[in-house]
Amino acid sequence: MTMRAPQARVDDVEDDPIRILSPHWEKTPAFEPRPGAATDAAWFLLSWGPSRCADALAATLRESAPGVDVRRVDVATESVEPPDDGAGTEQRHVFFVDGTAPLTGPDVADAANWAWTDAVVHACQAVASRPGARVWMVTRTGLHGSGARDVVRPEHDFVWALGRCHAAESSESWGGLVDLDVDDPTTAGRMLADYLLSDSAEDEILLQDDGPLVARLRASSLPPTARNQSLSTERLHIVSGGAAGLSFEIERWLARRGAKRLLILGRSPLDAERERNIHLLKELGCGVEYEVLDVGDPAAVHTLTARLRQRGDALGGVFHLASHWRLDGRSCVSSLRTATDEQTRVLLATKAGGALLLGELAEDLGAEAMVLFSSAAATLGSPGQANYAAANAVLDGVARRLHRGRVRAVSIAWGPVGEVGFGATPDGARLHDVWQRLGLRRLTVVQVLSAVDMALSQDQPNLTVVSWDAAGADALPWVGVRPALEPLAAGQQQGLALRRLGELAGEDRVEYIVHVMGGHLARILSRAPEEIDPESSFAMMGVDSLIALEVLFVVEREFAVRLGLDQVLLGMDSTLAVMARQLDQQLREVSTQTSGSPR
């Protein structure tokens, strides 16, 4: 027997706020270097271990112009030389991870094998703190585009999601992401130099032997028609993540569709709630095994694989929802600027390591399908979730690798999910509140289950599922400035408050800015406008780095300029009045540059 996905009816979904986002690669003309671009900056070419492509880029840059400043550093063995103070030269950092060792089997749990991720995070943090610096990141995943190679690197998707979050948090220091699919390192270095010296706004690039491609994310308002692909009800289905929260909802969804056998993997022993949930599954006629097992532990997963093979179990679906995001009782999810190595390691262990190991299990045992639960933060970028997004992105890579074999695999990157799991915790609710204010609604459990049905009927390894209001993703401030996300934008209005501001002079301008921003800050902090004291420090008002980022997006929407994060935070001793004066000064400077006469 098989579990059938219900056919979608148009009248059921035409008003549905759910959007299915899918990645596409489009051919683009070869990039043309701008004359003299090489000498406009000091170049820091960083790699983790040897990189022939990085060496080739260094040689190409040096040949392009006399006197170009190129510094080639292997950060696995050397420290990056600090830039010359006062030189006034812009810095271009290009970080290569193409030479890192593939992660399989026991390697997944070895912290040393993930050390390159710390180096990438540190590089982004350093660049974001240096005025005039920008960073590009280069991978060789074999996963992007139609020319993908036999060697695939799911763990390199970490870099892509981290970069997207860098773009969302610190657009002024962001360069782009480049994936190499070029045989000859010398050719790759030349093509990469052409792109870097072209000043192109494109920031997600695939370089192939026959030319470059650029990424575009497309949205579909209706789930595509189901193809009646299905999962067997007789086979054993595996669900990681325990017997509570969203994992339990998936388990109950499987049982209601006739699944006869479930193996549930959880980090913790059963408690009263989970015992009760398992009893409910059994009442639905489903046989349930529960095993205390850390899916990020290679030895434990390999032992499980051997046991299931010895038992002769035929696998249906493998559903990976497990995650671990707390350290000493506190959330490890953080912004790019504040992420620590320890936080990143905790997030990678179960989410990314578990995906790699369960993917091997699914392949070894011939599973019918694998469904991995990723995050839309990895697809769209997200302020305040850089390390979490990067860990989740590895799941997208695992799905693409499996998709090329006999396991039907899909990684679904979810928008904020309410009601259960992380979204039901105070930390999750706080992050999801930010997404909600920026235009993305919380998904319900019913919507999630419906989307899983749809995803299993498709032939795409990566899908993003979000729910947005009438403004759509266009409300996300970084959508309109990133070419990969342009298909989602519809011309978001900026400078909404500029007309009224232009009618004012002197202190009235500052007071108006305080009025506009105070209203937004009151909404963000769930306070009445009169409770916002312009002379009170942001720290005293409860503004943290995540809220500060949201304030910057509001500034950009209302006044069409972007302040730096440090201009808002300043050790959290800054005030709304100080920020308003900074903003007024910046707007006057912009007006002078464009019209030649300040107001």
Side-chain angles (χ1 to χ4, degrees):
M1 294 179 62
T2 57
M3 292 180 282
R4 297 292 184 185
Q7 295 288 332
R9 287 172 47 202
V10 171
D11 56 348
D12 288 336
V13 295
E14 59 183 5
D15 296 323
D16 196 334
I18 291 181
R19 297 295 184 272
I20 310 300
L21 312 181
S22 54
H24 296 266
W25 290 91
E26 300 177 356
K27 273 288 188 182
T28 192
F31 294 102
E32 294 291 337
R34 178 175 58 82
T39 56
D40 288 348
W43 295 87
F44 294 82
L45 309 187
L46 317 175
S47 67
W48 185 264
S51 170
R52 296 172 64 194
C53 291
D55 296 338
L57 175 61
T60 302
L61 289 173
R62 289 174 179 137
E63 292 169 1
S64 66
V68 63
D69 185 1
V70 179
R71 310 179 199 187
R72 174 74 181 89
V73 181
D74 179 348
V75 297
T77 58
E78 309 170 62
S79 59
V80 182
E81 293 183 17
D84 296 329
D85 291 333
T89 304
E90 294 186 350
Q91 301 164 32
R92 300 291 180 260
H93 298 246
V94 188
F95 201 117
F96 291 76
V97 299
D98 56 311
T100 62
L103 290 176
T104 58
D107 298 334
V108 170
D110 188 342
N113 292 323
W114 291 98
W116 60 268
T117 63
D118 300 332
V120 174
V121 173
H122 296 164
C124 289
Q125 291 172 332
V127 168
S129 67
R130 295 174 183 167
R134 295 174 70 192
V135 64
W136 287 259
M137 292 183 275
V138 183
T139 59
R140 198 180 183 96
T141 66
L143 294 171
H144 297 286
S146 58
R149 302 179 184 283
D150 292 333
V151 177
V152 294
R153 303 298 304 277
E155 64 273 17
H156 280 186
D157 276 52
F158 176 98
V159 175
W160 282 67
L162 189 78
R164 290 163 181 152
C165 290
H166 188 131
E169 290 190 22
S170 182
S171 61
E172 68 281 355
S173 64
W174 176 238
L177 295 157
V178 182
D179 199 58
L180 298 176
D181 189 18
V182 180
D183 286 320
D184 178 49
T186 301
T187 302
R190 177 184 54 77
M191 295 178 71
L192 186 55
D194 288 347
Y195 162 63
L196 294 170
L197 299 176
S198 70
D199 292 335
S200 173
E202 296 288 352
D203 66 344
E204 293 194 17
I205 307 295
L206 168 63
L207 296 181
Q208 293 184 325
D209 288 310
D210 60 350
L213 294 89
V214 295
R216 293 292 183 267
L217 195 66
R218 297 177 185 169
S220 171
S221 59
L222 299 179
T225 302
R227 299 179 183 174
N228 286 327
Q229 296 191 37
S230 53
L231 296 175
S232 168
T233 59
E234 304 299 327
R235 291 189 173 211
L236 176 69
H237 302 279
I238 298 177
V239 182
S240 74
L246 192 55
S247 295
F248 171 66
E249 297 297 340
I250 290 295
E251 291 149 11
R252 181 159 55 178
W253 172 81
L254 285 165
R256 285 173 172 169
R257 279 156 178 73
K260 298 295 190 297
R261 303 168 60 213
L262 285 179
L263 171 58
I264 301 173
L265 308 176
R267 289 171 54 91
S268 305
L270 291 173
D271 58 13
E273 177 192 0
R274 290 163 177 79
E275 288 275 14
R276 184 167 56 252
N277 287 343
I278 288 178
H279 179 71
L280 291 173
L281 295 174
K282 291 179 177 178
E283 286 187 335
L284 291 171
C286 186
V288 180
E289 300 174 72
Y290 183 89
E291 183 164 343
V292 178
L293 186 146
D294 180 357
V295 295
D297 180 348
V301 175
H302 290 162
T303 298
L304 173 63
T305 303
R307 188 171 76 248
L308 294 177
R309 182 184 293 112
Q310 186 176 28
R311 284 186 357 186
D313 280 310
L315 288 193
V318 177
F319 295 79
H320 179 46
L321 295 86
S323 64
H324 182 48
W325 48 273
R326 286 192 177 276
L327 179 64
D328 298 328
R330 302 186 65 181
S331 172
C332 292
V333 180
S334 66
S335 68
L336 176 65
R337 286 174 177 257
T338 61
T340 67
D341 297 350
E342 192 174 22
Q343 289 173 330
T344 302
R345 195 73 64 246
V346 169
L347 291 165
L348 281 168
T350 301
K351 177 61 74 171
L356 289 163
L357 293 168
L358 288 178
E360 292 178 9
L361 177 148
E363 278 188 309
D364 291 346
L365 299 181
E368 286 182 312
M370 185 170 188
V371 181
L372 302 105
F373 279 53
S374 179
S375 168
T379 309
L380 299 171
S382 171
Q385 292 181 277
N387 53 4
Y388 175 79
N392 274 271
V394 177
L395 278 63
D396 302 337
V398 169
R400 288 201 305 276
R401 179 175 65 80
L402 291 175
H403 188 72
R404 300 170 59 168
R406 58 179 178 168
V407 179
R408 180 159 43 97
V410 58
S411 176
I412 308 175
W414 300 102
V417 179
E419 305 175 358
V420 294
F422 178 64
T425 68
D427 290 314
R430 179 170 157 273
L431 278 169
H432 291 176
D433 282 344
V434 174
W435 280 94
Q436 186 97 0
R437 288 192 293 266
L438 292 177
L440 290 185
R441 297 177 177 177
R442 287 173 170 85
L443 292 161
T444 67
V445 170
V446 171
Q447 289 172 324
V448 168
L449 298 178
S450 175
V452 171
D453 253 340
M454 178 277 302
L456 280 169
S457 74
Q458 303 309 298
D459 190 30
Q460 293 193 59
N462 292 158
L463 294 171
T464 299
V465 178
V466 294
S467 175
W468 59 50
D469 56 25
D474 194 36
L476 297 177
W478 56 95
V479 164
V481 297
R482 293 197 55 231
L485 303 182
E486 279 181 359
L488 307 183
Q492 176 183 332
Q493 285 188 313
Q494 289 193 344
L496 301 178
L498 286 179
R499 181 174 179 178
R500 173 58 179 152
L501 186 69
E503 299 170 352
L504 303 173
E507 283 298 307
D508 289 344
R509 289 170 57 89
V510 175
E511 291 180 7
Y512 178 67
I513 294 172
V514 168
H515 170 73
V516 171
M517 295 307 302
H520 285 291
L521 197 54
R523 177 179 56 83
I524 293 171
L525 296 173
S526 299
R527 298 182 186 176
E530 58 269 21
E531 295 178 14
I532 301 299
D533 180 2
E535 303 297 337
S536 179
S537 72
F538 286 135
M540 291 296 293
M541 284 194 286
V543 174
D544 59 14
S545 59
L546 184 62
I547 293 176
L549 279 166
E550 191 175 352
V551 169
L552 295 187
F553 297 144
V554 172
V555 167
E556 189 170 9
R557 185 177 301 145
E558 293 287 353
F559 299 101
V561 298
R562 173 172 280 200
L563 296 175
L565 182 61
D566 292 340
Q567 291 176 275
V568 177
L569 295 178
L570 293 176
M572 299 313 297
D573 292 329
S574 185
T575 68
L576 180 56
V578 169
M579 188 189 75
R581 293 187 183 281
Q582 292 174 333
L583 180 55
D584 183 43
Q585 179 62 34
Q586 188 162 334
L587 287 167
R588 288 174 181 273
E589 292 173 358
V590 171
S591 176
T592 300
Q593 293 168 3
T594 56
S595 66
S597 57
R599 182 171 176 81

